[in-house]
Amino acid sequence: MNKKWWILGVVGIIIIVVSLLSLNFLKKKEIPIDNSGFTLLDNMTVEVYSDTNISSKIQFMNGTLEDDKKIDTNHLGSQTIEFLYKDSKGKNKKGAIAIEVVDTTAPIVLLSNAYTVTVGYSNNLTDIILSADNYDKNPKREIIGDYDLNQIGSYNVIYRVTDQSGNATDVEFTLYVKEKSNTTYEATYTDFQDVIATYKNESNKIGIDISKWQGNIDFDMVKSSGAEFVIIRVGTGLGFGEESLEDPYFKQNIQESIAINLPVGIYYYSYATTREEAKEEAQWVIDRIKDYPIDLPIVFDWESWSYFNGLNLSLHDINEVATAFLEEIEKYGYRGMLYGSKNYLQKIWTTTYPVWLAHYTSKTNYEGDYLLWQLCENGKIDGINGYVDINILYNK
């Protein structure tokens, strides 16, 4: 018995020694860099945030690529990528290529050909006129030209935004400085029955979205008036970096909607500025809806564009925030959706989730895909005192 254990011990030692020697041998036999088996393209730059592999930069290979690595394009600058390939004789070789990640995309400016302020306006125009860059969190913003916010008049100026890579966007516009207007506007409304008469067909449903602003709702009257679904606000952030607050009418609204078999969707008004905050908000939403049957998507609603310039966010950042929220929602089996008005959907949002389009018009000219259309915010329907948003849900 002792002899048997002694033999096993010797064998074990031999195995360990052989393994160590083999590792040392392999280290000594590490494959050297050899780029002789391939040629590269002249242009070895890739665009920031692009989905690119090293094979896209190889012009010709006398053999086969064994390791088509993805290029890390999340940061600007140079990087060297090593990879394995076999030459024409099947011999293992290692290549190394130098890549430069660049940004050639100019910033965006959401500005028409005119902008109006009242005389004595004290805020910085570059803070309130929305602009953003795909990569730079804080591009240089400036107004080129002479103007006087304390003097009534019109001024032809340029809003220029320049990112750290030197890409610039100029927007010429007329700045109007006017006296404060005392003009009153006659209130108008959109009747829910008119919307049904105009838009209702076999391929859509007409409904509303609600929050505390609608107060106590008579859901029986809402349903008998023709509403076929309701999107309910579950809550909102209290501000940037603040906690979430449940809508005070959420439980009442969802319970009464479910009681009369009115299909329900959910939206959350977000102030998230990081992926981590967005995930926390999604979890907060899930905790409050998990005990209710949810028929329609869970919607991410981010609208704090008047503060955007001061948040040090890039376009990539804000889209990552939305994606993080919706990814978390869908991990739990819900359907995610992004809310946005026409201009922001065209200029800012690039996520691939279904869209809830806000465009207050009789016929939208938004060219992207959308599942839900919020066509007005001044809707009137029996069962609600005051205005409500009216929406069309398409059976796609």
Side-chain angles (χ1 to χ4, degrees), residues 30-41 44 52-71 79-87 91-99:
E30 183 177 348
I31 303 173
I33 301 297
D34 182 354
N35 290 349
S36 63
F38 59 88
T39 57
L40 300 173
L41 297 174
M44 294 301 289
T52 312
N53 289 52
I54 58 174
S55 58
S56 66
K57 293 300 177 182
I58 296 176
Q59 186 177 51
F60 171 76
M61 175 165 284
N62 188 21
T64 58
L65 181 63
E66 297 290 297
D67 188 15
D68 191 11
K69 290 184 176 179
K70 188 173 291 295
I71 300 171
Q79 57 181 280
T80 299
I81 305 174
E82 297 182 359
F83 59 95
L84 298 176
Y85 70 99
K86 289 183 183 295
D87 65 14
K91 184 178 179 180
N92 289 327
K93 290 193 174 182
K94 181 188 287 186
I97 60 175
I99 295 290

Side-chain angles (χ1 to χ4, degrees), residues 246-264:
E246 183 177 299
D247 188 294
Y249 284 82
F250 166 67
K251 288 188 176 68
Q252 175 180 317
N253 285 340
I254 195 168
Q255 289 169 1
E256 294 188 18
S257 297
I258 291 170
I260 61 169
N261 296 315
L262 197 60
V264 167

Side-chain angles (χ1 to χ4, degrees), residues 31 38 46 102 113-114 163 227 247 276 316 319 351 384 388 394 396:
I31 303 173
F38 59 88
V46 296
V102 299
N113 58 4
D163 67 21
D247 188 294
E276 292 71 24
H316 178 80
N319 277 278
T351 58
I384 294 179
V388 68
Y394 298 92
K396 296 181 180 179

Side-chain angles (χ1 to χ4, degrees), residues 8 20 32 131 134 141 149 228 246 255 292 381:
L8 289 174
L20 291 172
S131 59
N134 63 316
R141 301 174 170 99
L149 298 178
E228 299 173 280
E246 183 177 299
Q255 289 169 1
Y292 300 106
I381 187 173

Side-chain angles (χ1 to χ4, degrees), residues 155-172:
Y155 306 91
N156 295 322
V157 292
I158 296 172
Y159 187 178
R160 176 174 296 162
V161 186
T162 309
D163 67 21
Q164 63 179 278
S165 296
N167 304 301
T169 297
D170 284 1
V171 177
E172 297 181 6

Side-chain angles (χ1 to χ4, degrees), residues 42 45 47 84 151 156 184 192 238 244 261 288 316 330 350 370:
D42 292 335
T45 64
E47 192 70 19
L84 298 176
Q151 179 65 46
N156 295 322
T184 58
F192 193 84
L238 289 173
S244 297
N261 296 315
R288 278 149 187 82
H316 178 80
E330 295 201 338
T350 58
Y370 56 96

